[in-house]
Amino acid sequence: MVLLTPLILLLSSLAFAQTNTMTAIKAGRLINPADGSVIQNALIIIRGDRIESVTTGLLPKLPDGTRVIDLSGFTVLPGLIDCHTHVMLQPEDERGAPPVITKSQAFRTVQAVAAVKRDLEAGFTTMRDLDSEGAGFADVAIRDGINRGIIPGPRLFVSTYALTITGGHMNNAGLNPDIPIPEPATLTDSRDAMIAEIRREVKYGADWIKLYATGTLRHVDPITLESLSQVSLDEVKAVVAEAARWHRDVAAHAYGGDGAKNAIRGGVRSIEHGMLMDDEALKLLVEHGTYWCPTLSVYLPESAEDDTEMRRRIVAHHKGVFQKAMKMGAKICFGTDVGAFEHGTSAREFVKMVEYGMKPIDAIRTATTRAAELLRMEKQIGTIEPGKYADIIAVEGNPLDDIRALTRVAFVMKAGLVYKTR
Ligand SMILES: [Zn+2]
């Protein structure tokens, strides 16, 4: 106990210093995703890590030492939230031998340190990371390193290992069964195994539980586009109940079919991907108020090898499901699968959403107000309002006229600290 005292004193003095730092931001144009309003020449006052006030007009008299940041030539928005990321993954890991074979966890962690910096500098101040993909609990270390101020990065919610089944998604397929090779997710083939795995993940730091409710692309029937269902309704209910015991929510990777329906009926908080959902699944999604992260852009073919007839059919289906979901009022959230493509480029998803018919303000909402709700963080983040974290970004141009402005982030503040400026 004696040893702890100086640490506590140090931490409390740091907190004191931070709560007393005053910053004023002059915003040329401020977008409020809550009501869609746009304020010209707004003035944001920040005390420590929180927003104190948002007004218009001239700079009032501010205490000595107040830092003034001039963003009058920019559009200012709340920090963006990507609800489906993989900080432990790099695009190169998607090609060739799986990273559990070719890379140490230590090297993957070094790559993740650089990845989270790029994601933050791209305007993403919060991310929900859905599966460390064979890098164990290294995502917890990245989250904690960020929270302790050791490395720069977004506010992270991590899910460590994911739950899958033997032979399903996130299995090392096609390798020699005589050599013991770690799997990228945990193989849980019974309700008891699922429950035990959730307890283990929570014990070592998981904020969310990730469940593979369907298989991956290699499991999709090339004729019918039916996806492999990996879970029964009963199993999903058991997973959701166990997660709830620990005050955790469940995100389900689900393309469509029975796996997606069981996930929705069983009470998961979000469906990931969902590009092969039929009308019944979409109706269930809306009825249950389940959030949906479509991750549109990650399924677009990026090489001639990917550009198959089947992939084109899947992409066309994805677009159709997205457009129906918008009409039906589904709770669409911004999620990208970044890591499968270059970190720092998540904003490309906005461009796809708008191309598929979403209004720019609604696309912004998916990554701010709606995403904050999904994370149960709506009182803390998602808008620039008094009392919330000072998560603030600025972009060149007006994203309401041209959504590609969100790919040109010039300024990033997270919890009152500036991480990018010009
Ligand atoms: Zn993913």
Side-chain angles (χ1 to χ4, degrees):
M1 281 311 288
V2 175
L3 277 174
L4 281 177
T5 313
L7 179 65
I8 290 165
L9 280 175
L10 174 69
L11 287 175
S12 55
S13 64
L14 279 174
F16 180 76
Q18 204 180 33
T19 50
N20 278 280
T21 309
M22 295 283 286
T23 307
I25 293 180
K26 292 200 252 179
R29 181 189 294 118
L30 174 64
I31 294 177
N32 179 0
D35 59 6
S37 64
V38 177
I39 305 173
Q40 305 294 334
N41 301 318
L43 187 67
I44 307 161
I45 305 292
I46 295 140
R47 184 188 290 270
D49 60 358
R50 302 278 172 163
I51 294 156
E52 186 158 280
S53 65
V54 182
T55 54
T56 51
L58 295 172
L59 212 57
K61 178 135 180 55
L62 294 164
D64 286 349
T66 300
R67 176 178 51 160
V68 178
I69 298 171
D70 186 2
L71 298 174
S72 50
F74 296 88
T75 301
V76 173
L77 305 106
L80 303 172
I81 305 166
D82 189 339
C83 299
H84 189 134
T85 69
H86 297 284
V87 299
M88 302 310 304
L89 196 68
Q90 298 289 326
E92 75 227 23
D93 299 336
E94 298 281 276
R95 302 182 287 269
V100 287
I101 295 174
T102 58
K103 293 178 180 175
S104 67
Q105 278 192 17
F107 184 72
R108 292 183 72 183
T109 307
V110 170
Q111 288 193 305
V113 168
V116 290
K117 182 169 185 282
R118 284 203 294 275
D119 292 330
L120 178 63
E121 288 174 353
F124 291 87
T125 49
T126 302
M127 303 198 312
R128 183 181 61 154
D129 203 69
L130 290 183
D131 184 358
S132 68
E133 304 219 354
F137 294 96
D139 53 352
V140 172
I142 294 289
R143 177 199 67 195
D144 293 351
I146 293 167
N147 288 347
R148 287 171 59 174
I150 300 168
I151 57 167
R155 182 178 296 105
L156 283 186
F157 296 90
V158 302
S159 51
T160 72
Y161 288 82
L163 278 62
T164 189
I165 61 169
T166 301
H169 196 3
M170 285 297 156
N171 277 229
N172 282 322
L175 299 176
N176 183 349
D178 304 324
I179 306 172
I181 294 165
E183 297 291 356
T186 307
L187 310 185
T188 52
D189 291 320
S190 67
R191 277 173 46 137
D192 287 353
M194 291 172 181
I195 289 168
E197 175 60 12
I198 291 168
R199 291 176 187 173
R200 186 179 78 101
E201 292 177 9
V202 171
K203 176 179 174 180
Y204 293 112
D207 303 302
W208 272 76
I209 301 303
K210 169 84 179 279
L211 172 69
Y212 285 102
T214 71
T216 185
L217 289 176
R218 74 170 186 277
H219 299 110
V220 174
D221 185 298
I223 311 292
T224 63
L225 294 189
E226 193 185 332
S227 51
L228 171 76
S229 171
Q230 296 200 171
V231 284
S232 66
L233 176 58
D234 233 28
E235 285 165 338
V236 178
K237 283 184 174 168
V239 164
V240 169
E242 185 59 28
R245 179 203 303 282
W246 307 101
H247 304 287
R248 301 300 195 275
D249 288 305
V250 179
H253 161 111
Y255 285 177
D258 288 345
K261 288 171 199 170
N262 289 343
I264 298 166
R265 287 196 177 105
V268 304
R269 190 155 176 89
S270 70
I271 290 289
E272 308 302 308
H273 318 304
M275 67 279 210
L276 299 175
M277 285 192 288
D278 59 16
D279 290 353
E280 189 192 358
L282 271 177
K283 206 164 150 263
L284 282 171
L285 188 85
V286 173
E287 276 170 17
H288 284 76
T290 312
Y291 293 84
W292 177 39
C293 295
T295 68
L296 298 172
S297 55
V298 78
Y299 289 100
L300 303 174
E302 290 198 14
S303 65
E305 202 179 284
D306 289 345
D307 194 9
T308 59
E309 165 69 18
M310 183 175 149
R311 187 68 83 92
R312 283 198 290 268
R313 283 174 63 204
I314 287 173
V315 168
H317 208 286
H318 210 169
K319 180 179 177 181
V321 173
F322 182 76
Q323 291 175 335
K324 270 188 207 162
M326 262 195 299
K327 279 205 194 94
M328 291 168 71
K331 294 179 180 174
I332 299 176
C333 273
F334 188 92
T336 62
D337 237 337
V338 69
F341 58 91
E342 286 297 328
H343 284 279
T345 64
S346 290
R348 70 185 209 171
E349 183 79 4
F350 290 115
V351 180
K352 212 69 209 165
M353 286 173 148
V354 171
E355 189 190 311
Y356 284 179
M358 190 175 254
K359 286 191 211 129
I361 185 67
D362 289 334
I364 292 168
R365 284 177 173 136
T366 68
T368 52
T369 44
R370 184 70 87 196
E373 265 173 49
L374 163 61
L375 297 172
R376 302 185 192 274
M377 287 284 288
E378 67 271 21
K379 291 198 173 77
Q380 310 286 330
I381 56 175
T383 55
I384 299 175
E385 281 182 286
K388 289 193 175 179
Y389 279 119
D391 290 0
I392 296 170
I393 65 163
V395 300
E396 287 173 34
N398 185 352
L400 299 178
D401 294 339
D402 178 4
I403 198 72
R404 282 171 300 184
L406 294 177
T407 65
R408 297 188 296 268
V409 170
F411 172 87
V412 178
M413 171 183 275
K414 189 191 92 182
L417 298 176
V418 177
Y419 289 92
K420 183 179 189 179
T421 189
R422 289 212 179 143

